[in-house]
Amino acid sequence: MKHTLSVLVEDEAGVLTRIAGLFARRGFNIESLAVGPTEQVGISRITMVVPGDDSSIEQLTKQLYKLINVLKVQDITSIPCVERELMLLKVNTTSSTRSEIIELAHVFRAHVVDTSDESLTLEVVGDPGKMVALTQMLNKFGIREIARTGKIALTRESGVNTEYLKSLEACGSF
């Protein structure tokens, strides 16, 4: 199972290196990593997606707390969250496929940010599932390049689990 960890750290040189070293020593792969400043000066939030079972993630969390400059570690995998990712995607195009690609981009609320005779570059913001779905739809045209930021997430203060609501809607119970 993939776990999403939200880690608050002091914004000091070497913090990310120490965290990455801990993961490497424990044999964990970080599938997604995003780091940025928080609302509080001198504090950064690291959002990581890490594969592992509950007990191994719990052990990893305990190890993270032992590191200098780590202030708070939270496994937000099963907590209602707002999750977003940014992706830039360059796709092959011709005069005959351009309108179809732009139409697909519109459906996914993607924006064309660069164009040439042979390609379109799209900017997509949304949940990671949206990125996968758009990529699958555009594969038939030939994808030249992809750059993704990695997932960022904040817990929902409302506590509303939108994934649960989506499942009810899909079942027709909502």
Side-chain angles (χ1 to χ4, degrees), residues 91-154:
V91 62
N92 292 325
T93 187
T94 63
S95 57
S96 62
T97 61
R98 184 174 302 274
S99 62
E100 185 180 354
I101 294 169
I102 291 172
E103 196 174 304
L104 275 170
H106 180 72
V107 168
F108 282 86
R109 294 188 183 122
H111 301 281
V112 176
V113 293
D114 188 47
T115 184
S116 74
D117 290 339
E118 300 88 28
S119 71
L120 285 173
T121 302
L122 306 176
E123 172 191 73
V124 191
V125 176
D127 64 81
K130 179 180 180 178
M131 308 297 160
V132 171
L134 180 59
T135 303
Q136 288 176 345
M137 295 295 294
L138 293 174
N139 265 332
K140 65 182 177 184
F141 300 105
I143 294 175
R144 290 185 177 196
E145 293 180 77
I146 293 178
R148 291 175 68 168
T149 59
K151 179 170 43 171
I152 58 171
L154 290 176

Side-chain angles (χ1 to χ4, degrees), residues 46-113:
I46 301 172
T47 307
M48 297 180 275
V49 177
V50 182
D53 59 29
D54 291 342
S55 64
S56 60
I57 297 299
E58 186 178 330
Q59 279 301 112
L60 188 61
T61 299
K62 289 176 184 175
Q63 295 298 314
L64 281 168
Y65 271 118
K66 291 180 182 179
L67 294 177
I68 297 171
N69 305 114
V70 172
L71 303 173
K72 183 178 180 182
V73 181
Q74 190 175 15
D75 183 352
I76 59 174
T77 307
S78 57
I79 298 173
C81 291
V82 176
E83 299 175 339
R84 294 292 183 268
E85 187 171 341
L86 167 68
M87 176 174 68
L88 294 174
L89 184 140
K90 190 181 296 181
V91 62
N92 292 325
T93 187
T94 63
S95 57
S96 62
T97 61
R98 184 174 302 274
S99 62
E100 185 180 354
I101 294 169
I102 291 172
E103 196 174 304
L104 275 170
H106 180 72
V107 168
F108 282 86
R109 294 188 183 122
H111 301 281
V112 176
V113 293

Side-chain angles (χ1 to χ4, degrees), residues 1 7 11 16 24 27 43 53 59 61 77 129-130 141 157 171:
M1 180 178 170
V7 184
D11 195 5
L16 188 57
I43 306 293
D53 59 29
Q59 279 301 112
T61 299
T77 307
K130 179 180 180 178
F141 300 105
E157 288 298 313
C171 294

Side-chain angles (χ1 to χ4, degrees), residues 7-9 36-46:
V7 184
L8 292 178
V9 298
T38 65
E39 70 287 351
Q40 201 172 353
V41 176
I43 306 293
S44 291
R45 181 180 309 278
I46 301 172

